[in-house]
Amino acid sequence: MSQTQVNSICPFCGVGCGMGLVVNDGCINAVKPLSKHPISQGKLCAKGWNTPFGISKHNRITQPLMKKEGVFEVIGWQEALTYIAQNLQKCIRESGSQSVGVISSARATNEDNYAAQKFARAVLKTNNIDHCARICHSPSVVGLKQTLGSGAMTNSIDDVAKADVILIIGADSTENHAIIGGHIMQAKLRGAKLIVVDPRQTRLAQIADLHLQLNIGSNIALLNGLLNIIFQHNWQNDDFLARRCEGTDALKKHVADYPLDKVAELTGIEGQKLVEAAKLYSQANAAFLAYGIGITQFISGTNNVIAVSNLALVCGQIGREGTGVNPLRGQNNVQGACDMGSLPNVYPDYQSAADKKVREKFSHAWNTTVAQAPGLTSLGMSNQARNGKFRGLIICGEDPIVTDPDRNKVEASMRAMDLLVVVELFMTETAKMADIVLPAASFAEKDGTFTNCERRVQLIHKAIEPPGEAKADWQILSEIAKKMGLGGLMNWQTSEQIFDEMAQLTSSFSGMTYSLLAKKNGIQWPCNAEHPKGSRWLHTTTFPIGKGKLIPVDHVPTNEQPDAYYPFWFTTTRLHYHYGCGSMTRQSPLLERETPNGLLYIHPQDALDLGLKNHQAVTVSSRRGYLETRIVLSNELVPGLLSMPYHFKEAPSNMLTNDAMDPTTEMPELKVCAVNIVPLPKNQSPCPSSISTDIEDWVIQ
Amino acid sequence: MLQLTPQTIRIVDFYDDGTDSRHFTFEPIGFALESPIAIGQFFMLTVPSRGLAPFTYTSFPDEQGRFNALIRKVGKLTDQLFTCKKGDLLGYNGPYGNGWPLAEINQKEVLIVAGGCGLAPVTTAIDYLIDQGRANSVTLLYASRDQESQVLKQERERWQSKINVYETLDIQGDKDHSGLPTEHLSAVLNKVDHHPDILLTCGPEAMMSNVAKMCVDLGFKSTDIWMSIERRMRCGVGLCGHCYIGSTYACKQGPTYRYDEFLALEKANTVAHLYPQYFQYC
Amino acid sequence: MLNDIYLLKDLSILNAHLAQHYSVVRLAKDTDGEVTWTEQAGATSAPLFGHANLPLTSPKAFFFPEQESLYKFDGKTFETIHPKVKPIVLFGVQACDLTAIAYQDQFFKHDPYYQTRRDSVLLVGIDCEAPCKNGFCAEVNAGPHVNSATADLILSRLKIDDRTNTSEWLIVASSEKGVDSLRDLTLEKADEGHFKLRTKLGDQVRSQFADFSYISNAIEYLNDKSIPAQLWEELSVRCLSCSGCTNLCPTCSCYSTFEVIEAEPISNTLEFETVRCWDSCLFESFQREASDHNPSHKAAQRVERFWFHKFSDEYLPEFERHGCVGCGRCEQTCPGTIGVHSVMKRIDEVCCN
């Protein structure tokens, strides 16, 4: 029972807490928080504490599987790789490189993601590479790139402790970024003012000084309204606007169209509260603004982000300690997956794929031709698959069947493809649809780096061997490249070699090495000749695009609104206890037990009006789909608004959600649609909507 | 040392006994049921692949050690149990807990108020008193949701001619036999010859709480009111911590609590446990 | 006891002696500066002192592991899975953690798994020489000096010679096991004077603690039930049910069980293994029953329960002390800032008015 501890980083959300993996006889049965970690300082959330269950060897996929006549059979790696290589080549030969692609994972390492985009661009010769940032913060990446020149958190998590006003918009951070949520609660206790903008009464809203409980989808009206109040009272930071921004006059004129009474009407918030919030935020010495997917997951996602940025710029609450525009990124490495270029439009470090010079740079460095045509987003690939134009896809560690909008459409796309390869830890709903499933190594079974939401690149360490024949994503992709005759392109032996190759081809990471990262508990990018120690704050003296851009944006109604047939607003949420599709957290008997008895949250008044009792079985339907679950009465909601967490395959909220998209980023409007709710007949239990259960017993030797 | 490892028992037989409920007969394999089982005690039943949960005995073991238990299907463990066939093997630990107060009920006139499956833990108490020739001293008020969900049909038929049995249903039944047990308590007490002076109750906690309060108003001493409390358990022997009630564990100091002691335990907390306005019999 | 006290200048002699019979587990600092219990065969340096290096995790898991297989069912019978143990010496355990181990010894008195593991461990305590960051052991009678009933051997530094950088250690063999462990080791006998010096040093450390009267006050308020329910409501909004406090608390012991199904390839059958794992009374589902009845469905009830369990006098008959040993770990690990100091301060603040 010799016991060792390997320090690593939590594999769940974007906070990036330190986590000690306790290794006993080659197994991880416990994790410990790390008291010296700069962010978590000895804390973990429920998900973090339950990590051992999420990577336990039980229920893991340990060998390559091939679907034959509807059931999976264990096959050898060579057979699997040959099959994949031949079928990818067939698709490319017959339909061109545009017919194949890769979806990488925001849960995987930077090295895995670098390898994935290189595999797509240099081996498959396509820019069809994407990952789930598409459905969480793609509007942040694009929106903030336009206004500030960089799409990441401008400040650091620690800045919460330095702020005297904290403004949280559309983020349930105690549940989803629990340790940041904790920092915020601590700041509130020491006397910082807390303003929460959220249609639900979240935990933070309950302790806030001001809760602006806006009508769902009225973010821009609210933000423009605040700006108008600020200009009217002359609360703007004129000095900052003069020195650092452009477009002030146009914006001022534009927001004048958002007078108090109109904004109160659109948002449902009384005018006095708006004035109070505007004053608090604009007049603070340092105001920390953070937002989540309650800003981005709208058809107006990119404009929402721009409106947020406008507010911070006008008040000069950016570029200093305790301030900033801070998107709270979802996954442990969603920041890194974006940074590494697992996006169709950019190479690593956001070098534009549309730029011929960039393509030439990488073509030269990699010593091969690279993709020329613009790439498809994940939803683009999905749509093209239903047209028969997209035929072969490799998915590394994502479960779009559960997590993407309008599940019926996603399922149809997957079925339409000639080749679907899923690299996974567990038999997820998406893996069940695959032709080939490959066993992936978990974060505890490989080396690499994760980048948290404050741009901190942190090392993770291999603590145990992968179970069975599982391998790291980058190793798997290298093997496929080899089978396709291009092994030389991805001939790495260690993850460090990948990191070094990446660092050489980027600016933001050029000053980083594994040994430096080890010494300093991670480094925040940019880290280069100009910023050798990394960057705690961005934009302190200038923006990468020179001046900050103030861009007028307008309120638009959500794509769908309640009507006679679908009379309720519907929104999606997350629970503290579960993560994403639940593939890891639901392995924990404790977290699984925490799953509520019903998944549809409803205001008690609505339940009363409908004659529903707590935990009564109901059907919920939208224009796109239907599911069955039980209701939970909740005072967090307002009457007329229903909510549902999206982690559960039995009652997947994405049966209902709307895939109407933000025109700029193709971000679907996951946060809002219209639904109807009808009680199930008495004594009838909800029927789960998981993928055909006959595949559940997939272990066939 | 405690023995956490279960012993093996076999499902000898079962029959449906009320909505979603089955009456099982189990038999020990390779061991003898030791120490006589006290009325109102419970055992931990292990369903392989699903874990363990507490259930009460509805009969004393016979010469072969066979005993009965009434089980309602309410969760994952019982879902799995209900797929089991005759002859299937399960795990057993027990007997555990403190049962009904033998000395007191031997001397007093006994009122029993049971709700739903709460009839199961009082079954052995009723049979014990009948065996002792004290059937005349027993009055049972049994409440359930509807006729279909009434459990222990055979036992109730057997008791019918021996003890005073009153039944009430939530939503069916005529005027005299519908509604909550509290609506019938006074009437029942007026009907019986010997006025009961001790109460045994088992059912939803909200029901027990209401019944106990009313009995105090009707002149029962709170030291003569006993309730059998249900809690989630993972061991049965005071280790896992799930079944706490104040500073006690229901598996060790319970599951039978005297009303005044139970109230004292609850009062240790300032955050009141509010019973739901509506409850359902289990 | 005065018969079994000794003096020693070089602790590595004791370390080496014990290493002949035990695997030596000591506190060590890793490259990130994290202090953990680590197996170290040939350690020569002095042990890390608790006041400067209290590890975030107590040695609880050595006796009551985070996950532990209890028994398995092969389709026919249930078979106990006995813990695999080897003799270990925990070298340099602080008074608070030793007090907690003694508390757990009592709680798990009849638990065969705990006792098997516990029997294989020799506890070498070390006296703290200063208060630690969040610690208040003196306030709850759990330190700073080791209570002799809680350890087999006690190390206490009597003197430091700065010039030669050497120390003089008092070694107290405080149990039969402790006395046995020193057999065949030649040590200089100490006298009553040395023992008195230790007591004096202990009093000095005690006097250095900050004023923790708010903790004693709050314990009183807890026990006379004068804390308004509203205060628990207020505090419980900040409880995220992360389970950090119960995981790190050295006297928390609640567990759950789960089943692991393993295919047995030879007989082509399935084996079901029952594993117990640490649980937390702060989880909403901790007491929730299959029927959905939940006696502690409100967060405020659960938060109150946790502190009741740590500070209620109702546990004194069984344990002869409160459950809290004053290590302060919950203060550091709680994301919602409702660890022991924050809660006790708030209670004192609200109730004294």
Side-chain angles (χ1 to χ4, degrees):
Chain A
M1 52 172 268
S2 181
Q3 184 176 299
T4 54
Q5 180 170 327
V6 178
N7 293 347
S8 195
I9 300 299
C10 178
F12 291 106
C13 80
V15 179
C17 296
M19 174 183 279
L21 307 172
V22 182
V23 184
N24 249 323
D25 294 335
C27 283
I28 293 170
N29 286 336
V31 297
K32 292 175 179 177
L34 299 180
S35 60
K36 307 289 183 214
H37 190 268
I39 299 155
S40 54
Q41 298 161 17
K43 305 171 207 309
L44 288 173
C45 71
K47 297 178 280 283
W49 277 109
N50 280 273
T51 302
F53 297 108
I55 53 170
S56 130
K57 62 182 196 286
H58 302 287
N59 307 327
R60 282 280 293 276
I61 297 167
T62 55
Q63 286 166 299
L65 305 170
M66 183 186 274
K67 199 183 279 159
K68 293 180 182 168
E69 287 162 14
V71 288
F72 284 113
E73 277 181 31
V74 170
I75 56 166
W77 266 109
Q78 290 313 312
E79 190 187 339
L81 294 169
T82 305
Y83 182 88
I84 296 166
Q86 284 176 351
N87 280 279
L88 283 173
Q89 278 164 335
K90 181 164 179 271
C91 294
I92 296 170
R93 205 166 51 237
E94 292 171 1
S95 313
S97 284
Q98 280 302 85
S99 68
V100 294
V102 180
I103 291 182
S104 185
S105 173
R107 312 295 304 282
T109 62
N110 284 323
E111 292 74 4
D112 290 329
N113 275 287
Y114 178 85
Q117 61 87 33
K118 184 172 179 181
F119 179 83
R121 293 185 164 116
V123 178
L124 300 180
K125 315 288 185 199
T126 176
N127 279 314
N128 295 342
I129 165 87
D130 206 1
H131 72 286
C132 68
R134 182 66 44 213
I135 56 170
C136 69
H137 271 287
S138 55
S140 297
V141 176
V142 172
L144 296 182
K145 185 100 185 159
Q146 281 179 54
T147 60
L148 309 176
S150 170
M153 250 175 95
T154 63
N155 287 47
S156 297
I157 294 167
D158 190 32
D159 281 38
V160 171
K162 308 284 161 46
D164 41 28
V165 168
I166 297 166
L167 172 57
I168 307 293
I169 312 178
D172 193 357
S173 55
T174 52
E175 315 310 300
N176 309 325
H177 302 92
I179 301 308
I180 293 183
H183 283 286
I184 295 168
M185 288 194 280
Q186 205 171 357
K188 162 76 186 147
L189 286 175
R190 74 161 158 77
K193 294 280 180 216
L194 176 61
I195 310 168
V196 173
V197 179
D198 206 298
R200 291 186 306 130
Q201 201 192 21
T202 58
R203 193 187 296 271
L204 284 182
Q206 289 172 46
I207 64 166
D209 296 280
L210 267 181
H211 176 204
L212 306 182
Q213 197 162 11
L214 78 176
N215 294 332
I216 192 161
S218 62
N219 289 297
I220 294 180
L222 174 78
L223 291 160
N224 280 355
L226 293 177
L227 279 169
N228 187 38
I229 296 166
I230 287 165
F231 282 123
Q232 280 181 346
H233 288 81
N234 226 359
W235 287 335
Q236 72 278 11
N237 187 332
D238 284 324
D239 172 55
F240 187 85
L241 286 170
R243 281 189 300 113
R244 302 282 309 268
C245 305
E246 59 192 40
T248 309
D249 294 340
L251 180 69
K252 186 173 174 180
K253 197 161 157 237
H254 181 78
V255 297
D257 275 349
Y258 289 81
L260 206 51
D261 50 348
K262 176 179 167 186
V263 174
E265 166 80 28
L266 283 170
T267 60
I269 303 167
E270 37 179 314
Q272 188 47 41
K273 270 191 169 180
L274 294 169
V275 175
E276 222 175 305
K279 185 172 184 184
L280 270 174
Y281 180 77
S282 62
Q283 299 305 295
N285 284 327
F288 182 93
L289 187 161
Y291 68 87
I293 53 182
I295 278 289
T296 56
Q297 287 183 337
F298 288 97
I299 51 165
S300 57
T302 306
N303 284 352
N304 287 356
V305 170
I306 291 170
V308 169
S309 167
N310 287 343
L311 178 67
L313 288 173
V314 165
C315 301
Q317 299 289 14
I318 191 168
R320 286 179 289 124
E321 186 174 67
T323 67
V325 175
N326 300 294
L328 300 178
R329 306 298 300 256
Q331 285 89 349
N332 56 326
N333 198 36
V334 68
Q335 183 64 53
C338 291
D339 298 344
M340 291 304 109
S342 283
L343 295 168
N345 58 331
V346 289
Y347 276 83
D349 202 14
Y350 306 98
Q351 300 174 72
S352 173
D355 186 341
K356 193 157 170 267
K357 276 195 215 126
V358 170
R359 294 200 300 270
E360 276 167 7
K361 170 184 168 182
F362 280 89
S363 170
H364 180 72
W366 291 341
N367 198 17
T368 185
T369 56
V370 296
Q372 298 298 315
L376 296 167
T377 63
S378 55
L379 287 114
M381 293 186 233
S382 181
N383 289 337
Q384 291 298 328
R386 291 194 307 280
N387 296 336
K389 289 181 185 156
F390 185 86
R391 300 174 53 193
L393 177 63
I394 299 177
I395 300 180
C396 297
E398 291 205 354
D399 190 6
I401 293 276
V402 175
T403 59
D404 280 13
D406 197 349
R407 168 167 154 172
N408 291 323
K409 259 194 206 169
V410 181
E411 217 178 302
S413 310
M414 302 266 174
R415 288 192 202 286
M417 289 176 203
D418 295 319
L419 174 71
L420 178 63
V421 180
V422 174
V423 182
E424 254 300 348
L425 302 178
F426 298 103
M427 188 52 75
T428 59
E429 298 293 277
T430 303
K432 287 177 194 168
M433 313 267 317
D435 302 299
I436 302 262
V437 181
L438 299 175
S442 79
F443 86 109
E445 296 145 11
K446 61 187 178 187
D447 295 313
T449 55
F450 289 156
T451 307
N452 78 348
C453 65
E454 57 164 14
R455 300 169 276 106
R456 184 184 297 270
V457 182
Q458 307 189 88
L459 281 173
I460 62 162
H461 300 287
K462 180 173 174 175
I464 53 171
E465 288 301 321
E469 299 171 16
K471 294 177 200 286
D473 296 5
W474 66 264
Q475 290 170 316
I476 294 171
L477 293 168
S478 304
E479 301 262 357
I480 301 174
K482 206 188 287 172
K483 280 278 181 231
M484 293 177 75
L486 294 166
L489 290 177
M490 302 176 69
N491 193 21
W492 305 294
Q493 302 308 309
T494 64
S495 64
E496 189 170 6
Q497 291 171 352
I498 305 176
F499 190 87
D500 291 342
E501 175 180 322
M502 181 278 295
Q504 276 175 16
L505 290 166
T506 59
S507 158
S508 297
F509 303 90
S510 58
M512 292 186 196
T513 63
Y514 270 22
S515 58
L516 276 174
L517 294 176
K519 262 186 225 154
K520 303 179 120 180
N521 259 321
I523 299 174
Q524 291 172 274
W525 64 253
C527 171
N528 46 30
E530 219 177 309
H531 308 277
K533 290 184 173 164
S535 311
R536 217 186 124 172
W537 304 288
L538 298 182
H539 321 316
T540 47
T541 52
T542 173
F543 293 100
I545 49 171
K547 288 200 166 183
K549 306 282 183 297
L550 296 167
I551 303 170
V553 289
D554 256 320
H555 167 76
V556 289
T558 55
N559 176 265
E560 201 173 68
Q561 284 141 49
D563 56 22
Y565 302 101
Y566 299 98
F568 286 94
W569 291 104
F570 177 86
T571 191
T572 54
T573 65
R574 290 175 278 174
L575 302 176
H576 177 102
Y577 313 101
H578 286 292
Y579 197 84
C581 63
S583 68
M584 285 170 78
T585 47
R586 296 194 71 188
Q587 307 289 332
S588 159
L590 304 176
L591 298 182
E592 180 65 357
R593 191 186 66 196
E594 280 291 285
T595 301
N597 199 335
L599 297 170
L600 184 76
Y601 289 73
I602 181 170
H603 191 274
Q605 187 58 50
D606 285 337
L608 198 67
D609 294 348
L610 293 168
L612 299 174
K613 287 206 187 102
N614 202 11
H615 300 151
Q616 189 165 340
V618 296
T619 74
V620 198
S621 54
S622 76
R623 286 189 175 76
R624 293 151 298 278
Y626 163 97
L627 59 83
E628 299 179 3
T629 184
R630 294 179 185 276
I631 64 161
V632 180
L633 304 185
S634 168
N635 285 313
E636 286 179 9
L637 296 161
V638 288
L641 175 64
L642 309 177
S643 81
M644 213 172 148
Y646 78 96
H647 317 290
F648 303 100
K649 62 185 179 189
E650 299 86 344
S653 58
N654 281 320
M655 280 291 189
L656 311 170
T657 49
N658 194 349
D659 68 345
M661 289 191 238
D662 173 29
T664 321
T665 59
E666 301 191 5
M667 160 64 86
E669 191 156 73
L670 282 160
K671 271 295 171 208
V672 58
C673 70
V675 300
N676 189 24
I677 163 174
V678 176
L680 275 171
K682 261 217 156 93
N683 298 330
Q684 188 174 325
S685 295
C687 174
S689 13
S690 326
I691 299 270
S692 55
T693 42
D694 45 314
I695 312 182
E696 292 278 343
D697 305 312
W698 52 273
V699 191
I700 294 161
Q701 292 292 327
Chain B
M1 281 300 139
L2 293 162
Q3 161 94 11
L4 296 186
T5 308
Q7 290 167 301
T8 313
I9 54 172
R10 174 191 290 138
I11 300 175
V12 178
D13 202 1
F14 58 78
Y15 57 89
D16 290 339
D17 193 359
T19 310
D20 285 338
S21 299
R22 272 184 193 166
H23 210 161
F24 287 87
T25 303
F26 300 117
E27 148 183 275
I29 305 289
F31 74 103
L33 276 185
E34 287 165 34
S35 61
I37 286 158
I39 55 173
Q41 278 194 303
F42 69 94
F43 64 97
M44 297 299 291
L45 181 70
T46 298
V47 180
S49 85
R50 282 288 182 266
L52 69 172
F55 296 98
T56 189
Y57 305 88
T58 50
S59 75
F60 299 108
D62 64 13
E63 308 81 60
Q64 290 146 298
R66 292 183 176 187
F67 63 95
N68 299 337
L70 180 98
I71 298 175
R72 180 161 277 182
K73 191 166 77 156
V74 283
K76 288 176 185 163
L77 181 139
T78 44
D79 281 350
Q80 177 74 18
L81 177 66
F82 274 49
T83 67
C84 290
K85 303 174 296 294
K86 285 180 202 175
D88 282 358
L89 300 181
L90 305 167
Y92 168 91
N93 297 78
Y96 291 142
N98 293 319
W100 302 109
L102 212 56
E104 279 89 341
I105 60 173
N106 276 335
Q107 292 159 10
K108 298 193 171 174
E109 299 297 309
V110 185
L111 170 67
I112 296 173
V113 180
C117 282
L119 188 57
V122 293
T123 308
T124 48
I126 296 171
D127 283 335
Y128 166 80
L129 287 164
I130 294 173
D131 283 352
Q132 297 289 309
R134 299 196 56 235
N136 277 338
S137 303
V138 184
T139 303
L140 169 67
L141 172 57
Y142 177 46
S144 16
R145 204 179 316 165
D146 47 35
Q147 208 153 19
E148 295 73 39
S149 66
Q150 287 185 309
V151 297
L152 296 163
K153 186 159 187 278
Q154 294 181 10
E155 284 72 9
R156 282 183 292 115
E157 277 168 8
R158 183 153 51 74
W159 298 332
Q160 203 69 48
S161 58
K162 297 177 177 151
I163 63 170
N164 301 307
V165 181
Y166 300 89
E167 289 176 0
T168 173
L169 302 172
D170 265 5
I171 48 174
Q172 304 162 341
D174 54 39
K175 187 169 135 289
D176 292 337
H177 298 94
S178 71
L180 298 171
T182 39
E183 293 168 39
H184 297 277
L185 254 182
S186 325
V188 166
L189 289 175
N190 284 335
K191 273 185 220 163
V192 294
D193 302 335
H194 310 279
H195 199 280
D197 45 14
I198 186 167
L199 168 72
L200 312 184
T201 179
C202 185
E205 253 173 82
M207 180 206 88
M208 288 194 282
S209 165
N210 293 342
V211 166
K213 266 184 224 152
M214 183 170 265
C215 281
V216 170
D217 292 343
L218 291 168
F220 282 68
K221 282 191 268 175
S222 63
T223 50
D224 283 329
I225 295 174
W226 297 79
M227 39 221 285
S228 182
I229 307 278
E230 189 182 0
R231 282 290 181 272
R232 178 189 182 87
M233 292 177 192
R234 276 287 177 269
C235 71
V237 292
L239 291 173
C240 77
H242 286 263
C243 63
Y244 69 78
I245 297 176
S247 57
T248 70
Y249 289 124
C251 65
K252 271 174 84 179
Q253 287 92 342
T256 310
Y257 284 89
R258 210 172 71 190
Y259 186 48
D260 59 326
E261 289 170 348
F262 183 76
L263 288 180
L265 290 171
E266 282 205 320
K267 273 197 200 112
N269 297 330
T270 56
V271 184
H273 173 57
L274 294 178
Y275 291 110
Q277 214 174 343
Y278 305 100
F279 56 82
Q280 258 194 350
Y281 302 110
C282 220
Chain C
M1 177 181 292
L2 285 179
N3 292 332
D4 295 308
I5 58 176
Y6 307 95
L7 292 174
L8 183 63
K9 288 225 155 47
D10 183 0
L11 276 188
S12 63
I13 294 173
L14 177 64
N15 198 96
H17 171 74
L18 295 174
Q20 294 169 26
H21 307 286
Y22 296 92
S23 298
V24 181
V25 179
R26 302 162 39 125
L27 288 178
K29 220 178 230 182
D30 67 19
T31 48
D32 294 335
E34 207 62 42
V35 177
T36 54
W37 286 101
T38 312
E39 202 170 315
Q40 279 184 321
T44 50
S45 58
L48 295 177
F49 278 102
H51 53 269
N53 296 290
L54 186 73
L56 190 55
T57 42
S58 76
K60 171 166 86 172
F62 283 100
F63 315 110
F64 173 50
E66 292 88 346
Q67 287 186 32
E68 175 170 46
S69 300
L70 298 180
Y71 47 83
K72 60 184 179 192
F73 180 68
D74 61 4
K76 290 195 177 72
T77 51
F78 291 87
E79 195 190 323
T80 303
I81 302 173
H82 296 283
K84 289 190 203 108
V85 294
K86 64 175 182 184
I88 293 178
V89 53
L90 287 176
F91 197 86
V93 189
Q94 295 81 15
C96 55
D97 282 345
L98 286 168
T99 307
I101 292 169
Y103 187 95
Q104 298 278 48
D105 287 352
Q106 174 67 20
F107 182 79
F108 284 115
K109 202 171 180 178
H110 303 295
D111 182 300
Y113 302 88
Y114 180 95
Q115 291 302 336
T116 303
R117 291 179 192 276
R118 180 68 182 82
D119 283 347
S120 70
V121 175
L122 183 82
L123 292 175
V124 180
I126 189 166
D127 285 342
C128 286
E129 296 183 339
C132 64
K133 192 175 153 227
N134 286 321
F136 53 96
C137 52
E139 197 73 16
V140 291
N141 192 26
H145 269 198
V146 175
N147 175 338
S148 54
T150 64
D152 298 309
L153 295 177
I154 302 166
L155 311 177
S156 190
R157 187 156 67 178
L158 298 181
K159 267 195 285 211
I160 317 171
D161 186 337
D162 285 333
R163 203 169 36 83
T164 57
N165 199 21
T166 54
S167 305
E168 182 169 65
W169 294 86
L170 179 73
I171 297 172
V172 183
S174 51
S175 75
E176 216 171 299
K177 207 167 163 183
V179 173
D180 281 352
S181 74
L182 296 180
R183 198 163 292 159
D184 305 328
L185 180 67
T186 320
L187 290 167
E188 183 189 340
K189 278 264 183 191
D191 59 31
E192 206 184 335
H194 294 113
F195 202 75
K196 279 188 177 151
L197 176 58
R198 179 190 173 217
T199 312
K200 196 179 129 198
L201 290 171
D203 292 342
Q204 276 172 18
V205 183
R206 211 175 288 271
S207 69
Q208 291 166 29
F209 277 83
D211 177 13
F212 290 123
S213 53
Y214 60 86
I215 291 178
S216 300
N217 294 346
I219 294 174
E220 250 175 66
Y221 294 128
L222 264 157
N223 278 295
D224 66 23
K225 302 171 182 80
S226 57
I227 300 171
Q230 208 192 337
L231 178 57
W232 294 119
E233 303 274 358
E234 171 203 312
L235 294 169
S236 68
V237 175
R238 307 210 308 263
C239 174
L240 307 184
S241 306
C242 71
S243 73
C245 53
T246 52
N247 288 339
L248 292 191
C249 178
T251 60
C252 269
S253 56
C254 288
Y255 68 79
S256 188
T257 59
F258 65 97
E259 312 285 307
V260 170
I261 304 170
E262 247 167 310
E264 181 51 68
I266 301 160
S267 56
N268 198 22
T269 53
L270 292 180
E271 248 186 27
F272 303 93
E273 197 173 302
T274 299
V275 184
R276 71 174 169 193
C277 60
W278 291 0
D279 203 342
S280 175
C281 60
L282 277 320
F283 282 129
E284 188 267 342
S285 60
F286 183 73
Q287 283 206 310
R288 197 206 297 147
E289 292 156 29
S291 65
D292 211 31
H293 169 241
N294 188 349
S296 51
H297 75 285
K298 284 164 87 175
Q301 287 176 292
R302 303 191 293 273
V303 169
E304 181 182 11
R305 159 70 191 180
F306 177 79
W307 297 108
F308 172 82
H309 200 182
K310 295 302 149 196
F311 288 116
S312 169
D313 292 347
E314 290 187 30
Y315 292 93
L316 293 181
E318 188 180 354
F319 297 101
E320 294 175 341
R321 62 161 297 113
H322 286 148
C324 174
V325 296
C327 67
R329 290 180 173 105
C330 50
E331 188 66 29
Q332 171 148 21
T333 204
C334 179
T337 325
I338 44 170
V340 64
H341 290 290
S342 311
V343 168
M344 297 286 123
K345 257 183 213 157
R346 186 79 185 116
I347 290 175
D348 188 37
E349 206 173 275
V350 169
C351 293
C352 76
N353 295 320

